Amino acid sequence: MKGRPILGTLAVLGYVIMIVPILFVVSTAFTAGDALTFPPQGVSLRWFGEALAYQPFVGALLSSLQLAVVSTALALLLGVPVTLAIQRGKIPGKSLVEGLFLSPLVVPELVVGLALYQQIMIGLHQTSFVALLVGHTVLLLPYAVRVTGASLALADPAVEEAARGLGASPLRTFFSVTLPLLRPGIFSAGLLSFVTSFNNVPLSLLLQSRQFRTLPVTMLDYVQQSYDPMIAAMSTLILAGTVVIAIVAEKTLGFAKIFGGINK
Amino acid sequence: MSRKPALLLIPGLVFILFGFAIPSAIMLLAPPSTDTADVFLRFGAMLTDPYDLAIIWRTVRIGLIVTAACVVLGFPIAYLLARSTSRFAGMWLALAIFPLLLSNVVRTFGWLVILGSQGAFGQLLVVLGITDQPPQLLYTELAIVLGLIQLFLPLAVISCYSAVAQVDAGLDHAARGLGATKSQTLWQIVIPLSRPGILIAGTLVFAGATTAYTTPYLLGGSSQRMLSTQLFSYASVSVDWAAASATALIMTMLVFLVSGLSSLISRKAGVTS
């Protein structure tokens, strides 16, 4: 940053906007007072206790985790074969197919959410969980296809051909050659998918029901009714969980690698 | 494997067609118990009604401001980090990317603490004697803009970073060695060569900012409606399918227009360079 005063100032301003609001949430979570004010009054952990004892938050957290795990698994199960077909198979209209699988990134999530609400929940009388599972999986498919695709595109298909040439069956080739090549991509896609599903608001908001409601939606609801430090405490707990995921990501593959696949 | 690609493709294809493409098309053009003609009538009406036009214009305006701010703040971060030799550069990059993993709801709550009526910023102004009463900062366009910049800046940093990192640092040294100033090197070498990444950054941020829901909902309230909050209100408060579809059409067309324009520009640039 030395000798670049303008660039340096802009960069600092950028970091301030990205990070400082998060610090404010954390600091108010530790307040001993009753109001979400700054500076916080005294230090205590009481709001963490209240957040973890608040049944709607706990129930919603479990719902969110359940939805995130199942939709991530489904997206990988559907998406990885598609990646294989696109990268290794000879299919007509390859770029069109790839474009179709990436299109959920472009279409506004509220549009997808409202569409599934009308077709699946009203039209087919399915539960909120079914609609959410379809919606979240659709949203995660681009990661499953693009991020795993990026790791496969780097690998030389000749390795797989060599295995086949040396007498390995197609199944054996897949499990002992292709799958290890795919593993970092699958890991990155799984991580991004889990986080994306867990944090999603537009779909989860439109497709919620009294029986099934995710944590971000429950928190949005809560803050409209009562504005107290419990919401900051819950946010801080989510932050802590996210930091753990981030450290795992950084230690295993590295951030740059995981996120590099998104916008290539 | 290459003999049966169709088998690998079909489950995913069926899922994305019936779980996404077809329902979205039906919702946009023929929502339940609504005439397609009604959707287009509402669409036409929205483009002439002053109230709806104000919402469309607010959405576009906020999208443009946030996009410009994210590029202006994100590119310097990306450039300084890509050219840094510090061993902390990786840590700073991780810090800029990390917020992408964190819930939008959590990130947006921070602005409630800062900008709210009991908030830190308002109280600071009172303590400093600048105002007697904490000013109304929440539920303003400024609040939405700040919230959206925070949300999408990491995306801009990543796109710009991968673009700048691809520009050989040797070119910078060569330009400097030939007598170019630092700012000449930046404006005439680095920025032109990383333009595709900057374009991607801008497109992603604009599409995200014009369709985001959480931020305008929490920080804009009902007085600063954007297309997304308006769409939600048609869909779940007034249950007006025709109006919801028309709003969704406007939002979708806006996003497609901008991403189409951006890929056109990058293709043109690809041909000439």
Side-chain angles (χ1 to χ4, degrees):
Chain A
M1 229 184 274
K2 264 171 281 158
R4 315 230 57 157
I6 298 172
L7 287 180
T9 310
L10 290 172
V12 168
L13 185 61
Y15 273 104
V16 166
I17 291 183
M18 280 192 285
I19 304 300
V20 166
I22 303 174
L23 299 181
F24 271 95
V25 174
V26 175
S27 65
T28 46
F30 289 94
T31 184
D34 292 321
L36 196 58
T37 52
F38 196 89
Q41 297 137 319
V43 178
S44 93
L45 292 175
R46 77 176 255 226
W47 291 106
F48 288 93
E50 298 214 10
L52 290 173
Y54 184 63
Q55 187 43 41
F57 280 177
V58 179
L61 172 66
L62 294 177
S63 299
S64 283
L65 290 174
Q66 187 190 357
L67 179 63
V69 168
V70 179
S71 55
T72 297
L74 188 58
L76 289 174
L77 221 57
L78 292 166
V80 172
V82 170
T83 306
L84 286 171
I86 291 174
Q87 298 287 338
R88 293 292 190 259
K90 292 178 184 65
I91 48 169
K94 197 179 276 191
S95 58
L96 203 70
V97 171
E98 196 173 10
L100 178 65
F101 280 97
L102 298 183
S103 58
L105 287 177
V106 195
V107 176
E109 288 172 34
L110 281 171
V111 171
V112 183
L114 184 55
L116 296 179
Y117 178 66
Q118 290 175 348
Q119 313 294 320
I120 297 186
M121 284 179 75
I122 297 182
L124 300 174
H125 305 290
Q126 293 300 308
T127 61
S128 163
F129 182 75
V130 172
L132 277 169
L133 181 58
V134 172
H136 279 221
T137 305
V138 161
L139 203 66
L140 307 182
L141 271 173
Y143 296 105
V145 171
R146 177 171 280 187
V147 179
T148 46
S151 75
L152 199 58
L154 291 175
D156 190 348
V159 184
E160 288 151 276
E161 281 154 27
R164 295 279 287 122
L166 291 168
S169 68
L171 218 59
R172 174 110 194 261
T173 308
F174 175 75
F175 280 106
S176 47
V177 180
T178 315
L179 200 59
L181 288 174
L182 276 173
R183 205 174 288 143
I186 292 178
F187 180 81
S188 305
L191 190 131
L192 287 173
S193 297
F194 179 85
V195 169
T196 305
S197 165
F198 187 87
N199 292 336
N200 181 274
V201 169
L203 286 172
S204 300
L205 190 71
L206 281 165
L207 302 173
Q208 65 173 316
S209 65
R210 223 166 283 139
Q211 290 79 33
F212 197 93
R213 183 177 286 179
T214 66
L215 187 57
V217 173
T218 311
M219 288 169 71
L220 274 186
D221 242 31
Y222 184 85
V223 84
Q224 286 308 94
Q225 282 142 27
S226 33
Y227 187 60
D228 63 34
M230 194 167 91
I231 204 81
M234 195 65 231
S235 297
T236 305
L237 291 172
I238 294 178
L239 173 68
T242 312
V243 168
V244 170
I245 291 180
I247 290 172
V248 170
E250 176 70 22
K251 292 284 175 219
T252 46
L253 276 178
F255 260 39
K257 258 206 180 122
I258 290 177
F259 287 95
I262 300 183
N263 49 36
K264 284 276 156 63
Chain B
M1 201 186 313
S2 52
R3 272 171 294 154
K4 299 176 208 142
L7 237 55
L8 296 171
L9 206 55
I10 283 168
L13 213 51
V14 168
F15 195 90
I16 202 149
L17 283 177
F18 288 94
F20 167 71
I22 295 171
S24 300
I26 294 177
M27 193 282 280
L28 287 173
L29 301 172
S33 53
T34 311
D35 263 356
T36 302
D38 276 352
V39 175
F40 283 99
L41 278 177
R42 291 303 288 267
F43 181 82
M46 279 177 188
L47 295 182
T48 49
D49 180 79
Y51 174 75
D52 291 309
L53 276 179
I55 290 177
I56 297 172
W57 172 229
R58 178 181 299 122
T59 306
V60 173
R61 181 174 62 225
I62 288 177
L64 291 174
I65 295 171
V66 170
T67 305
C70 281
V71 170
V72 168
L73 298 174
F75 184 83
I77 293 177
Y79 176 71
L80 292 175
L81 290 179
R83 290 290 183 261
S84 168
T85 48
S86 158
R87 63 198 174 91
F88 297 115
M91 198 199 76
W92 280 104
L93 182 63
L95 189 66
I97 298 175
F98 169 74
L100 272 188
L101 295 173
L102 185 62
S103 161
N104 289 356
V105 177
V106 172
R107 285 193 275 164
T108 309
F109 278 156
W111 294 105
L112 293 181
V113 180
I114 296 173
L115 301 176
S117 54
Q118 305 266 308
F121 190 71
Q123 293 194 1
L124 184 73
L125 292 184
V126 175
V127 169
L128 292 177
I130 296 170
T131 55
D132 301 331
Q133 284 276 312
Q136 177 59 36
L137 296 165
L138 218 51
Y139 313 124
T140 61
E141 205 169 297
L142 177 71
I144 302 180
V145 166
L146 284 171
L148 290 173
I149 293 174
Q150 181 208 13
L151 223 53
F152 293 108
L153 189 50
L155 217 53
V157 172
I158 296 184
S159 302
C160 292
Y161 182 84
S162 51
V164 176
Q166 277 165 6
V167 179
D168 188 352
L171 288 175
D172 298 30
H173 298 311
R176 297 279 285 131
L178 291 170
T181 64
K182 279 180 180 175
S183 72
Q184 278 174 329
T185 311
L186 180 66
W187 285 98
Q188 293 174 18
I189 308 285
V190 184
I191 290 182
L193 286 173
S194 43
R195 202 173 283 150
I198 298 173
L199 196 65
I200 292 176
T203 313
L204 288 175
V205 172
F206 185 83
T210 48
T211 61
Y213 176 79
T214 312
T215 308
Y217 172 73
L218 279 176
L219 304 179
S222 52
S223 59
Q224 301 289 329
R225 282 266 168 87
M226 287 178 73
L227 281 172
S228 56
T229 40
Q230 185 72 355
L231 168 59
F232 184 78
S233 134
Y234 281 135
S236 60
V237 182
S238 54
V239 197
D240 182 344
W241 290 147
S245 293
T247 312
L249 266 178
I250 295 173
M251 208 158 100
T252 312
M253 285 165 79
L254 187 63
V255 172
F256 274 64
L257 187 77
V258 169
S259 25
L261 215 62
S262 138
S263 61
L264 203 72
I265 294 173
S266 66
R267 207 167 299 160
K268 272 232 175 93
V271 170
T272 50
S273 69

